[in-house]
Amino acid sequence: MTSSALVQPAIYAIPRQSTGQGVGNRSRTAAGDAQTQRPVHCSSSTVAMVFYLVGLGLGDERDITVRGLEAVKKCDQVWLEAYTSVLCVGVERLEAFYGREVKVASREVVESGCDDMLQRSKDGNVALLVVGDVLCATTHTDIALRAKKLDVKVEVIQNASVMGAVGKCGLQLYSYGQCVSLPFWTEQWRPTSWYEKIAFNRSGNLHTLCLLDIKVKEPDYAHLAETGRTRYLPPRFMTVNQAVEQLLSAEAEHGQGVCGPDARAVGLARLGQADERIVAGTLAELRSVDFGAPLHCLVLCAPALHDVEAEYVAQFAAS
């Protein structure tokens, strides 16, 4: 069965019952019955399978939408994409709440083995669960495009994401410029391509949302070179403090007054969860704030805030 097998229900004509009596009335009413035939839709036995992309929101297993939960419950296979973001609860909590086995999809599965997942959705409903909203990451847009090329029916079920939840700090969403991602630096690799985007936003009096790097199931290449065996490093999640250090280093290198110690910013941790934390201050102030467990993100404020923004953000002041 292919997903293109969406068959329109057959339509049959059922004539209205004649009110006449006897054989003589049958011929007399035949023309009238032909004109008053009414169509009745009969269900088809052919049903197209669906590949669902389901957003989970930002909190826990209960943040899935009703529509998303209904889709998951009718799926033959359910996967959780676990490398672009993470939930604060384990897979077992999802399985108990959804009533389905949930398989964890690593980066390798999502990027290399996704075609097998899509092929399975030709014979049964398959869901890929995504933390936050579904199409905020290029990875998931690519999956949707690959599904369409394989003639697989795709249904996207959206949810809350950090892109909207960041509004909780009080900075108006329509005053944000380009979003940037800050990757972990290494001794040999210290990219600052994001600096120019922050500078561009600042020149237009726009805020900048900085998404902070996460490393899940990261190969230990040193161990691989030494032993020939693959081993994975513990998960790493960039903190606001680490992001501030990289911003200050980039400022020292480029010197355009974009993200120096006095630049105003807002640090946010665990948005959408009961213990979320939001702290506003200069980068120098945020440098030493303990934001607690992941996930973190950071907003660099526009040079001039609207009065309402300034009043709202003030409640999160670091001092």
Side-chain angles (χ1 to χ4, degrees):
M1 181 187 303
T2 66
S3 61
S4 60
L6 277 170
V7 179
Q8 292 295 329
I11 299 179
Y12 296 92
I14 299 180
R16 183 163 46 183
Q17 185 177 2
S18 170
T19 56
Q21 300 293 326
V23 175
N25 288 330
R26 290 179 187 173
S27 58
R28 180 173 55 82
T29 61
D33 285 343
Q35 295 175 357
T36 58
Q37 289 175 342
R38 52 189 175 86
V40 173
H41 290 267
C42 298
S43 60
S44 170
S45 59
T46 305
V47 179
M49 298 296 103
V50 181
F51 180 73
Y52 292 98
L53 284 166
V54 182
L56 296 184
L58 299 171
D60 54 32
E61 72 278 12
R62 299 168 299 170
D63 280 16
I64 191 171
T65 64
V66 173
R67 183 164 156 243
L69 183 59
E70 289 174 345
V72 168
K73 284 185 175 295
K74 61 187 178 185
C75 282
D76 303 294
Q77 195 173 84
V78 180
W79 292 85
L80 171 66
E81 188 271 277
Y83 88 91
T84 60
S85 190
V86 295
L87 275 180
C88 66
V89 297
V91 173
E92 66 281 355
R93 289 266 296 269
L94 303 184
E95 292 178 328
F97 192 77
Y98 303 157
R100 287 290 183 276
E101 178 188 5
V102 177
K103 299 180 179 181
V104 176
S106 64
R107 182 170 190 161
E108 291 80 4
V109 171
V110 173
E111 294 185 346
S112 303
C114 184
D115 285 348
D116 179 63
M117 190 187 305
L118 294 174
Q119 289 291 348
R120 288 176 180 270
S121 65
K122 291 189 174 184
D123 299 314
N125 295 318
V126 176
L128 180 63
L129 310 180
V130 177
V131 179
D133 190 33
V134 173
L135 299 180
C136 286
T138 308
T139 297
H140 310 126
T141 305
D142 178 66
I143 291 173
L145 290 173
R146 287 158 68 179
K148 290 184 181 298
K149 289 177 182 178
L150 292 171
D151 201 24
V152 172
K153 181 180 179 182
V154 178
E155 185 171 335
V156 174
I157 302 177
Q158 296 180 285
N159 209 318
S161 80
V162 66
M163 309 295 282
V166 73
K168 296 188 78 171
C169 73
L171 299 176
Q172 296 165 357
L173 292 179
Y174 52 77
S175 293
Y176 279 77
Q178 299 178 72
C179 177
V180 302
S181 295
L182 302 186
F184 278 113
W185 280 353
T186 67
E187 291 183 2
Q188 297 80 25
W189 189 65
R190 295 166 61 90
T192 59
S193 55
W194 39 263
Y195 185 91
E196 293 303 323
K197 291 184 178 181
I198 297 173
F200 181 83
N201 290 345
R202 188 175 177 84
S203 69
N205 199 45
L206 299 172
H207 314 303
T208 303
L209 171 60
C210 302
L211 301 177
L212 310 187
D213 200 4
I214 70 172
K215 297 290 188 184
V216 180
K217 206 172 181 182
E218 181 183 14
D220 185 342
Y221 293 110
H223 182 267
L224 178 63
E226 181 180 344
T227 67
R229 293 191 298 270
T230 301
R231 183 175 71 179
Y232 296 102
L233 297 169
R236 293 189 294 153
F237 306 95
M238 184 181 287
T239 65
V240 169
N241 318 93
Q242 291 170 316
V244 168
E245 294 295 343
Q246 292 190 183
L247 288 166
L248 294 176
S249 293
E251 181 58 44
E253 177 183 344
H254 294 280
Q256 296 181 32
V258 171
C259 49
D262 295 329
R264 289 184 295 179
V266 183
L268 307 100
R270 300 173 302 286
L271 278 173
Q273 300 177 27
D275 62 343
E276 68 182 11
R277 188 166 192 207
I278 302 174
V279 182
T282 64
L283 288 181
E285 291 172 327
L286 298 184
R287 195 175 195 172
S288 58
V289 173
D290 182 4
F291 284 87
L295 295 170
H296 296 185
C297 63
L298 177 72
V299 177
L300 290 167
C301 300
L305 301 185
H306 187 278
D307 290 345
V308 175
E309 290 180 310
E311 182 179 355
Y312 201 96
V313 170
Q315 66 184 299
F316 304 118
S319 57

